Amino acid sequence: METLYLDTHIVVWLRQKELEKFSKRALDAIENASVLLISPMVMMELKYLQEIGRITDTPYNILGDLNAMIDLRIDEVEMFDVIKKSLSLEWTRDPFDRLIVANAMVRDYPLLTKDEKILTHFEGAFFE
């Protein structure tokens, strides 16, 4: 696998070293990806999770650590293209999911996620 997008909870689990939450396929995909990316929306969702108390660290610390550990990068995608693509994703009202999936679709890269709704509606998503 060349490039792999990671969903927000995947980023959190990796940072917290909760590898037991991953399937073997998911861990293999991370290990074998030549490029690991996140949508800029993952950074925003991390900030939201910090603000509501679901995580305690800042997005900058989380992503900085993962960049150093696994060379995780933020995609510098044209957000207008992502927003246009997201308008067709009527199966979710979650703006984070909508834009993260649209970002993966614009780039035509697989998205690693455990989110059942995304797995059901986006062919490029996988976990198991």
Side-chain angles (χ1 to χ4, degrees):
M1 180 172 298
E2 291 186 20
T3 300
L4 179 62
Y5 268 78
L6 305 181
D7 201 356
T8 307
H9 57 276
I10 301 296
V11 168
V12 172
W13 294 348
L14 285 171
R15 172 53 165 16
Q16 295 174 342
K17 296 180 174 63
E18 295 178 336
L19 300 182
E20 71 281 356
K21 292 187 174 185
F22 291 89
S23 68
K24 180 176 178 352
R25 180 179 180 204
L27 289 173
D28 287 346
I30 293 167
E31 180 70 29
N32 294 320
S34 58
V35 178
L36 292 170
L37 289 175
I38 59 166
S39 167
M41 284 305 295
V42 169
M43 186 175 202
M44 182 178 270
E45 188 170 16
L46 289 170
K47 180 61 177 167
Y48 171 75
L49 293 172
Q50 180 196 17
E51 289 173 356
I52 65 169
R54 297 260 315 270
I55 61 175
T56 57
D57 215 340
T58 69
Y60 293 107
N61 288 341
I62 293 168
L63 298 176
D65 288 351
L66 288 174
N67 177 264
M69 290 168 41
I70 60 173
D71 196 27
L72 179 67
R73 299 181 222 157
I74 301 171
D75 188 8
E76 295 183 15
V77 66
E78 178 63 46
M79 284 308 289
F80 182 68
D81 295 336
V82 174
I83 301 255
K84 283 193 308 185
K85 179 63 80 176
S86 76
L87 298 178
S88 67
L89 304 179
E90 297 179 355
W91 47 266
T92 183
R93 297 293 163 261
D94 182 318
F96 297 113
D97 287 354
R98 202 172 209 162
L99 291 169
I100 290 166
V101 169
N103 196 154
M105 292 173 77
V106 164
R107 295 293 202 199
D108 196 27
Y109 292 139
L111 174 67
L112 181 60
T113 185
K114 180 107 177 171
D115 185 300
E116 289 297 326
K117 195 172 230 184
I118 294 173
L119 289 167
T120 298
H121 292 93
F122 176 42
E123 287 181 13
F126 73 99
F127 189 78
E128 300 300 329

